Amino acid sequence: MRESTPVLSASKRERLGTRYSQREREAGRLPIVVYAKGTEPLSLSVDAREAKRAINKGEKIFRMDLAGVFDKQTVLLKDVQFDFLGTEIVHADFARVSLDDRIRARVPIHLVGEAKEVSQNGGITEQRLMALKVLVKPGAIPDGIDADITDLTLTTTITAADLVLPAGVELVTDPEQAVVTAELTRAAVTARNEGDDSEGGDGDAEAAGDGDAEG
């Protein structure tokens, strides 16, 4: 684990419910729940500014202190809830983990490169899968997985199995799952159809003319 792993100091929430959670937020605290296998979930709160800053930076792994319960416990960010506008974090879920155990995680997929053959032929790329499910140790969760679309064509598909994973990361997503495909734009399809109709029309006219001449 990096030395810069964020540390959060947690406090127990004595009262639960929407009203009390709102009071925590008004006091500058972020309500959270920490889960651990074989134990009851812990309803806690942490400093809202510190937690939100780290979460918005993309941090997934934290060290958490809870006085009288655990010190520097490794926790994994599992879920974040936002307000009705979808802009402000109002709640977060964490899970206590061991750095030696592999866990399931979702890693975002980033498209890199330019599919020139697709664009030159009037097509567009479409990302059909936004994240991969992987098996990995908590301290080795990658920030993202690159999908190189440079060689993508209108007749090919990039699948989960085509993506290059870092060492120690095992694919859980169906290997045959389509990640990126390409298709013609509506304008390109229309242009092609009009071209086909035009060619067909010339042929009919020529055939009709031949028939009249013979008659």
Side-chain angles (χ1 to χ4, degrees):
M1 181 181 295
R2 307 187 316 272
E3 288 298 323
S4 59
T5 299
V7 178
L8 298 176
S9 296
S11 301
K12 287 187 177 180
R13 285 189 286 150
E14 301 299 335
R15 295 183 176 182
L16 306 180
T18 303
R19 180 174 59 179
Y20 295 107
S21 293
Q22 182 59 33
R23 289 181 181 177
E24 291 278 358
R25 287 189 282 269
E26 291 172 353
R29 307 289 292 176
L30 177 67
I32 68 170
V33 174
V34 176
Y35 297 89
K37 187 178 297 184
T39 63
E40 290 293 320
L42 295 173
S43 296
L44 311 173
S45 71
V46 293
D47 183 272
R49 181 178 297 180
E50 292 181 359
K52 291 177 184 179
R53 181 168 56 242
I55 292 172
N56 288 329
K57 285 174 57 179
E59 297 286 356
K60 301 180 181 67
I61 298 295
F62 295 78
R63 287 181 293 171
M64 186 173 293
D65 291 335
L66 178 58
V69 181
F70 52 73
D71 295 323
K72 298 296 187 296
Q73 171 66 51
T74 303
V75 296
L76 171 70
L77 179 65
K78 298 290 291 185
D79 187 45
V80 176
Q81 297 175 18
F82 292 86
D83 62 7
F84 69 97
L85 293 176
T87 57
E88 190 71 21
I89 298 173
V90 297
H91 187 276
D93 290 338
F94 295 84
R96 295 173 66 179
V97 295
S98 167
L99 290 179
D100 296 325
D101 295 334
R102 293 201 301 173
I103 60 172
R104 289 198 176 200
R106 288 173 57 87
V107 180
I109 299 171
H110 302 147
L111 302 189
V112 297
E114 182 181 355
K116 292 184 178 180
E117 184 171 336
V118 174
S119 58
Q120 289 171 355
N121 286 280
I124 56 173
T125 59
E126 182 176 356
Q127 185 171 355
R128 296 183 175 273
L129 190 65
M130 299 299 172
L132 281 185
K133 295 178 182 177
V134 299
L135 199 61
V136 61
K137 289 185 177 181
I141 299 176
D143 293 329
I145 300 294
D146 289 342
D148 189 346
I149 63 173
T150 304
D151 296 327
L152 184 68
T153 70
L154 290 171
T155 59
T156 60
T157 297
I158 297 175
T159 66
D162 295 324
L163 303 184
V164 179
L165 304 184
V169 179
E170 180 182 338
L171 182 66
V172 174
T173 296
D174 182 353
E176 297 183 1
Q177 173 73 49
V179 176
V180 187
T181 60
E183 61 181 20
L184 289 172
T185 63
R186 184 173 300 178
V189 172
T190 300
R192 289 196 177 192
N193 289 339
E194 289 176 349
D196 292 341
D197 290 344
S198 177
E199 292 176 3
D202 291 343
D204 292 342
E206 184 177 345
D210 290 345
D212 292 341
E214 290 177 357

